[in-house]
Amino acid sequence: MAIDLKNNVYCDGEGTPVVLVHGFPVDHRMWDKCAEELRKAAVKQGVKQFAIWAPDMPGAGEGPIPSDEDSGGKDADGAFPYGLDRMADAYVDLLHKAGCDKAIWVGLSMGGYLILNIQRLHPEAVAALALCDTKGDADSAQMRAKRVAIAEECETTGTHEPVMGFAVPSDADSTVKRSEAYCRQFETWINEQPAAGIAWRERMAAGRPDLNDVLPGIDVPVAVICGDKDPSSPPTVMKPVADAMAKTDVAMTVIDDCGHFSAYEHPDQVAAALLELVKRVG
């Protein structure tokens, strides 16, 4: 049994592909502007064109929603303890089916959980990592229960309301997140997600392991990127993540006046950091 993925190819190219893994509760489209900025910056700097992909996670966009069996089964509380592992396997299978041995894995928020788990399970498939607005911690018991409750509500009623907070700014948020354009775009994207797909991702995230033990063993090039106004993964959270990777050189980028979805809010700055990572890989 395996999880199927819907891949989205921004451009083809030679060498090591860059695989962009989106955050929750949206799909690969959050990378659209950043992927284009990355492509243009590579051309401008004379870097040979590399492939840029952005698969949809299971249950996101056009990504098929796996069965409970294909997800590895549920815990008693309804979380998927093996969901993240099965998804990591699926992403690496996608890479291998395309004839590639390694990728530069870029993960934002929930996407960061995935790429850290790829590093844990399939380190041979990792040429470099970019951790954007994320962390290695597992959920607290309270957060785990909240995710499962959201999953149950979405599945039962078909609602998107429990995750609409991602489209609602506070006074402390970045200028971009407080803009009408941001709010309307994220509201639209969230409403376009299948409610059962939101539920699957919540159950998967609720059951994920703590991944902080992965950090000290990473020996490939790494970029750490975050917004200074990210409410969940600010520099105070991401700096310890960077410091824990003592076996490699970590390039950390903190983006001013930027919230949680840095690749959407400031795609040019995130693209610039990613291109530097690509050049480090060679």
Side-chain angles (χ1 to χ4, degrees), residues 31 115 120 213 226:
W31 288 110
I115 70 170
R120 180 176 75 93
D213 287 348
C226 65

Side-chain angles (χ1 to χ4, degrees), residues 66-218:
S67 66
D68 289 2
E69 183 180 8
D70 285 347
S71 304
K74 285 179 181 172
D75 276 342
D77 66 354
F80 288 133
Y82 304 108
L84 188 65
D85 291 357
R86 295 290 179 92
M87 187 162 60
D89 292 344
Y91 272 74
V92 173
D93 285 346
L94 180 73
L95 179 74
H96 290 163
K97 287 176 182 176
C100 301
D101 295 326
K102 296 176 181 285
I104 297 170
W105 300 98
V106 182
L108 188 144
S109 191
M110 189 178 283
Y113 309 158
L114 175 70
I115 70 170
L116 281 176
N117 206 41
I118 289 173
Q119 172 66 37
R120 180 176 75 93
L121 297 175
H122 303 282
E124 74 287 346
V126 179
L129 295 169
L131 298 167
C132 308
D133 310 291
T134 193
K135 56 188 176 183
D137 308 43
D139 279 345
S140 65
Q142 182 180 11
M143 186 63 199
R144 177 177 171 129
K146 181 179 179 180
R147 286 192 193 273
V148 172
I150 289 172
E152 290 174 350
E153 183 176 358
C154 290
E155 287 171 339
T156 302
T157 68
T159 184
H160 298 80
E161 191 58 35
V163 297
M164 273 301 172
F166 285 93
V168 179
S170 72
D171 291 341
D173 279 321
S174 64
T175 301
V176 173
K177 186 171 181 181
R178 287 186 281 112
S179 70
E180 181 72 12
Y182 179 102
C183 296
R184 296 293 76 79
Q185 180 64 87
F186 273 72
E187 181 181 349
T188 298
W189 281 342
I190 292 169
N191 277 323
E192 289 174 349
Q193 305 304 309
I198 289 174
W200 189 91
R201 286 183 278 168
E202 287 283 49
R203 293 186 188 279
M204 175 275 296
R208 75 186 189 278
D210 190 283
L211 295 164
N212 284 301
D213 287 348
V214 175
L215 301 173
I218 295 173

Side-chain angles (χ1 to χ4, degrees), residues 37-82:
E37 290 290 339
L38 179 57
R39 187 196 65 79
K40 290 193 301 185
V43 171
K44 186 174 182 180
Q45 296 188 32
V47 177
K48 183 177 290 188
Q49 184 60 65
F50 45 87
I52 304 175
W53 305 341
D56 280 324
M57 281 188 185
E62 298 180 21
I65 303 171
S67 66
D68 289 2
E69 183 180 8
D70 285 347
S71 304
K74 285 179 181 172
D75 276 342
D77 66 354
F80 288 133
Y82 304 108

Side-chain angles (χ1 to χ4, degrees), residues 10 27-33 56 188-189 192-193:
Y10 287 110
D27 57 43
H28 79 278
R29 291 174 291 178
M30 58 146 285
W31 288 110
D32 285 354
K33 293 179 181 178
D56 280 324
T188 298
W189 281 342
E192 289 174 349
Q193 305 304 309

